[in-house]
Amino acid sequence: MRGFAQARTIEFVAPNGKLRELPAVHEVLERMPEECSRFPRALVAAEIRRVLEQARAEIRSGQNGGAPVETPIEARAAQALAELERPSLQRVINATGVVLHTNLGRAPLGHAELLPGYSNLEYDLATGRRGKRDAHLSGLLERLLGAPGIAVNNNAAAVFLALHELAGGGEAIVSRGELIEIGDGFRIPEIMARSGATLHEVGTTNRTHIADYRAAINQRTRLLMRVHPSNFRMAGFTARPGLGEIVSLGREFGLPVYEDLGSGCIADLSAFGIDEPLVSASLQAGADLVSFSGDKLLGGPQAGILAGKAETVARLRGNPLFRALRLDKIIYQTLADTLRCLLFERWDEIPALAMIRQTPERIKARAESLIADAPGLGAEIIPGHSVIGGGATPEQQLPTWLIAIGGHDASQSERALRAHHPPVIARIEDERLVLDLRTVFAAEEEELRRALGTCLPQRSHKEKESSRARIKGESE
């Protein structure tokens, strides 16, 4: 027992001794690198305290055998300060072929010169009086859609506002097969519950008929809702009523009809193999209100747009929540620029639409040019598919040509590219690194070429010459 007690004593005392070896804050301050003198002293001291607390926690937990971390405290603090100074949000090169990549910000934005200083965000220059910030979008939306519209900070907010105003305190009837999850765990039923509207499900998961809606209407019914399944497809023995049928039923009972379209397709993309309903078609079918995202097929910044009957949109704008969910001036400018490009059919000025419209032949030519200048990669060009992504157009693909790189550890190469500056995001298929230039801007190709040359193993001179000959033969 005495031996055990002695061992326990050593076990508890040893970490305490190692804790005492840690320097004091003022001692670390004196040893900080010269380049850290540009930082406020209070900030430097705070980071030193934070690093010291981390070191204490590591010792107490027995990490690294309870020994102090080999990296000196001053070096760790300097690294922490450098990381604080460097923005975490940064540009990346998307070589995945996913146009609306949710993790990479969905619709890519083009170059925009933000207005410096002040602006007339809520100032009417003609009258010299206070104006409304949504005036910067309303004219563009009405010309594009043939109906007035407003915008809030995302489409989930648009759904929430619509339900709160049109069905709060009552029931909203919706098909059970449309009770979808819209991403990151947000579900339509939960949003409806938070809005104060009671969800009244009708039909079954795979089949709902107009008679189901009719049978569900009661004194508490305030809204007929339809949700477009933009992020999934249901096949087989399925049915749901057309929007026109629901509109007719709504008019019969004096109930508004609201359709959440999600993807927000304004430009007709059917010529490029994209089958997605147009917002204008829903409005023409008689929907009182539609909502959709600004950063999906619209091709703009994150926003939720609501358009429809003038009296319905006026009700939403008068709801106090509209102010709570309103857009920032930077988003107003960027969204207005996107809408203006759509109105004047300047498709190639909207990066997402330009990527979708790019032909496989053009992508193949770009890929051939890129690997011709880097024969040491051991790359080949293979047919493949791009996807829209971002919860839009599920199971719909765009034919493309891929740069496939094999002969080495694909996972290791993928990590190396992610660690590059700027980071390159690629994908792995069949144990090969794969890049799709559909989602790479032409101006980024040189950066991508340098990243591939820096991060990936290069082949021998003999292999390079053989690769050049093969590529030349294929191009001929």
Side-chain angles (χ1 to χ4, degrees):
M1 291 294 292
R2 180 178 298 177
F4 178 74
Q6 183 179 15
R8 294 283 292 176
T9 301
I10 294 172
E11 179 183 343
F12 286 118
V13 169
N16 291 333
K18 291 163 185 171
L19 287 171
R20 286 193 293 269
E21 293 177 8
L22 292 173
V25 174
H26 71 273
E27 294 175 331
V28 181
L29 272 171
E30 294 174 358
R31 299 201 298 263
M32 289 296 291
E34 179 64 29
E35 61 265 22
C36 291
S37 62
R38 70 182 187 277
F39 301 126
R41 185 177 177 84
L43 176 62
V44 176
E47 284 305 300
I48 292 172
R49 292 189 188 95
R50 189 183 66 82
V51 170
L52 283 169
E53 188 54 41
Q54 287 178 343
R56 292 188 190 101
E58 291 168 7
I59 293 172
R60 292 190 185 106
S61 67
Q63 187 173 331
N64 298 321
V69 178
E70 293 182 1
T71 305
I73 297 298
E74 58 269 25
R76 293 178 64 176
Q79 181 180 355
L81 288 164
E83 290 175 356
L84 276 176
E85 190 178 33
R86 183 170 56 250
S88 61
L89 186 64
Q90 55 184 303
R91 178 176 66 88
V92 304
I93 296 176
N94 176 15
T96 66
V98 182
V99 179
L100 305 176
H101 199 304
T102 299
N103 297 342
L104 303 183
R106 284 190 178 161
L109 299 177
H111 295 286
E113 294 185 8
L114 298 180
L115 295 173
Y118 299 100
S119 68
N120 61 324
L121 179 65
E122 291 186 3
Y123 186 75
D124 189 326
L125 293 172
T127 64
R129 298 177 179 176
R130 178 166 184 155
K132 298 178 180 179
R133 65 176 61 194
D134 46 304
H136 303 290
L137 300 179
S138 57
L140 295 168
L141 286 171
E142 189 149 9
R143 285 169 175 80
L144 275 167
L145 303 175
I150 55 174
V152 289
N153 54 31
N154 61 26
N155 196 47
V159 173
F160 182 84
L161 177 61
L163 291 171
H164 184 273
E165 176 59 35
L166 302 180
E171 293 183 353
I173 298 176
V174 63
S175 169
R176 184 171 282 106
E178 297 173 0
L179 298 178
I180 63 173
E181 182 174 308
I182 57 178
D184 199 25
F186 291 97
R187 296 173 175 176
I188 290 293
E190 294 171 355
I191 294 175
M192 295 181 78
R194 294 283 183 170
S195 71
T198 300
L199 171 65
H200 192 145
E201 302 177 32
V202 298
T204 63
T205 301
N206 62 318
R207 291 177 71 83
T208 303
H209 305 280
I210 195 65
D212 296 319
Y213 286 85
R214 180 182 292 276
I217 295 174
N218 60 71
Q219 291 183 344
R220 298 194 67 245
T221 304
R222 300 288 183 272
L223 180 69
L224 303 181
M225 183 177 180
R226 189 173 194 253
V227 181
H228 174 62
S230 59
N231 61 356
F232 74 98
R233 283 287 184 271
M234 191 182 300
F237 190 59
T238 63
R240 72 173 186 154
L243 180 59
E245 293 180 85
I246 300 176
V247 168
S248 296
L249 183 64
R251 288 175 179 169
E252 181 182 340
F253 286 87
L255 296 169
V257 175
Y258 162 46
E259 182 173 35
D260 173 34
L261 284 171
S263 296
C265 190
I266 289 182
D268 187 356
L269 300 173
S270 59
F272 305 95
I274 302 302
D275 178 21
E276 192 71 8
L278 295 175
V279 176
S280 56
S282 294
L283 292 169
Q284 290 166 8
D288 295 273
L289 183 72
V290 296
S291 64
F292 53 95
S293 296
D295 57 351
K296 291 188 178 181
L297 290 177
L298 184 75
Q302 177 182 297
I305 300 173
L306 296 137
K309 299 289 194 323
E311 59 273 19
T312 304
V313 174
R315 284 181 60 183
L316 299 179
R317 199 196 181 286
N319 189 304
L321 283 173
F322 175 66
R323 180 178 177 84
L325 302 173
R326 69 182 182 178
L327 299 176
D328 170 75
K329 59 187 176 183
I330 296 174
I331 303 299
Y332 264 106
Q333 179 188 343
T334 310
L335 182 55
D337 288 345
T338 304
L339 294 174
R340 198 169 288 109
C341 288
L342 287 167
L343 182 62
F344 289 100
E345 299 184 2
R346 299 168 183 162
W347 314 122
D348 288 341
E349 293 183 27
I350 303 175
L353 298 187
M355 290 173 178
I356 292 171
R357 289 160 50 87
Q358 193 168 184
T359 66
E361 293 76 19
R362 173 58 183 154
I363 296 170
K364 185 179 184 181
R366 292 175 60 197
E368 289 173 341
S369 175
L370 189 145
I371 67 172
D373 292 338
L377 289 176
E380 63 175 320
I381 301 172
I382 61 173
H385 292 92
S386 312
V387 296
I388 301 300
T393 65
E395 298 182 359
Q396 298 185 53
Q397 299 178 324
L398 301 170
T400 190
W401 289 89
L402 307 171
I403 298 175
I405 305 172
H408 45 79
D409 189 328
S411 296
Q412 182 178 343
S413 298
E414 187 271 339
R415 289 192 297 269
L417 287 173
R418 272 193 285 116
H420 189 264
H421 183 75
V424 176
I425 313 301
R427 67 182 202 249
I428 297 174
E429 290 183 3
D430 299 327
E431 300 183 356
R432 291 195 295 181
L433 189 73
V434 172
L435 304 99
D436 187 346
L437 296 188
R438 182 183 294 278
T439 51
V440 176
F441 289 94
E444 295 175 329
E445 287 183 15
E446 183 55 39
E447 288 179 307
L448 175 58
R449 186 180 290 107
R450 287 199 298 269
L452 293 174
T454 301
C455 301
L456 305 189
Q458 302 294 302
R459 299 190 303 174
S460 66
H461 177 73
K462 183 177 180 180
E463 290 174 322
K464 290 180 182 181
E465 292 301 319
S466 175
S467 178
R468 284 195 183 97
R470 178 177 54 79
I471 294 170
K472 181 178 179 181
E474 290 176 355
S475 63
E476 293 175 349

